[in-house]
């Protein structure tokens, strides 16, 4: 598959992805990419996010591939068994572990417990050895539970703008590889 064969649904994490974030850049440069907008990026409710994801997948014109970052990964895991069979894959980057007490001080989200069952579509998890929001061991556990291929990114932080991953060309290559695996 190529990017033109699928609808790429971009699922940002808590507080959305800013203008220099790789997700925003991909949304601007990939013709079939569109962001799943949430009503509240600052105080997200899991059920609201899941509903938006389910609606976006249902209105897609082509097979769907999710491109999620951080909390967006957990939203995809919660939505996975409610989306249709037109979802053919998920590209899951830098999952965040909101089961950690005070992951972000004074921020509580209702995305826990984190679903730990196999996703009904192929997926890949890209996790950093130095992510402050998720240990590599925990990312391995997510990937194993979700039936995902795990790709370890050395010393990449949270794979966001702050960690130097604005354009993230390596990620785009990995997305191309993943799409090729899908057919």
């Amino acid at each position: 598959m190529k990017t033109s064969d699928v609808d790429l649904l971009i699922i940002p994490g808590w507080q959305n992805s800013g203008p220099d974030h790789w997700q925003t850049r991909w949304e601007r440069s990939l013709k079939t990419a569109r962001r799943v907008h949430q009503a509240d990026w600052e105080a997200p409710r899991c059920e609201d996010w899941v509903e938006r994801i389910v609606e976006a997948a249902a209105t897609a014109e082509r097979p769907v591939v999710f491109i999620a970052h951080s909390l967006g990964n957990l939203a995809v895991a919660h939505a996975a068994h409610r989306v249709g069979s037109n979802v053919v894959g998920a590209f899951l980057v830098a999952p965040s572990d909101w089961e950690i007490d005070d992951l972000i001080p004074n921020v509580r989200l209702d995305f826990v417990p984190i679903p730990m069952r196999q996703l009904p579509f192929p997926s890949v998890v890209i996790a950093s050895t130095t992510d402050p929001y998720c240990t590599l061991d925990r990312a391995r556990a997510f990937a194993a539970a979700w039936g995902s291929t795990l790709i370890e990114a050395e010393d990449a932080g949270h794979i966001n703008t702050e960690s130097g991953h604005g354009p993230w060309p390596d990620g785009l290559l990995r997305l191309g590889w993943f799409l090729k695996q899908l057919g």
Side-chain angles (χ1 to χ4, degrees):
M1 288 187 167
K2 298 178 281 194
T3 58
S4 59
D5 298 328
V6 293
D7 278 345
L8 301 168
L9 296 184
I10 295 176
I11 320 287
W14 178 61
Q15 296 185 318
N16 202 354
S17 293
D20 293 325
H21 193 283
W22 59 267
Q23 282 186 312
T24 303
R25 291 170 184 248
W26 291 10
E27 181 183 14
R28 285 191 305 251
S29 65
L30 299 171
K31 290 180 183 174
T32 63
R34 66 183 162 104
R35 183 176 310 245
V36 176
H37 290 279
Q38 300 295 344
D40 193 338
W41 293 107
E42 300 298 318
R45 290 188 58 246
C46 184
E47 187 56 31
D48 294 343
W49 279 37
V50 166
E51 285 302 318
R52 295 277 175 112
I53 291 168
V54 170
E55 289 169 10
T59 60
E61 297 176 3
R62 291 171 282 276
V64 170
V65 172
F66 294 129
I67 300 177
H69 181 259
S70 193
L71 182 64
N73 293 292
L74 306 189
V76 166
H78 279 282
H81 293 278
R82 292 176 50 188
V83 296
S85 60
N86 66 326
V87 176
V88 297
F91 190 77
L92 307 170
V93 181
S96 52
D97 187 0
W98 285 89
E99 290 182 356
I100 295 173
D101 288 334
D102 287 332
L103 179 68
I104 298 175
N106 303 315
V107 176
R108 299 281 179 265
L109 302 179
D110 68 345
F111 287 74
V112 295
I114 297 168
M116 298 297 277
R117 69 184 228 195
Q118 185 156 347
L119 303 178
F121 38 75
S123 59
V124 61
V125 170
I126 300 177
S128 168
T129 59
T130 57
D131 191 331
Y133 303 108
C134 186
T135 67
L136 186 58
D137 283 343
R138 188 68 165 145
R140 283 186 186 122
F142 292 151
W146 297 339
S148 305
T149 299
L150 177 69
I151 298 173
E152 295 181 18
E154 296 293 320
D155 192 24
H158 195 49
I159 312 177
N160 59 5
T161 308
E162 289 76 23
S163 65
H165 295 86
W168 196 35
D170 186 51
L172 204 49
L173 290 173
R174 291 187 187 278
L175 175 64
W177 167 84
F178 178 62
L179 292 175
K180 207 174 247 190
Q181 305 305 304
L182 296 177

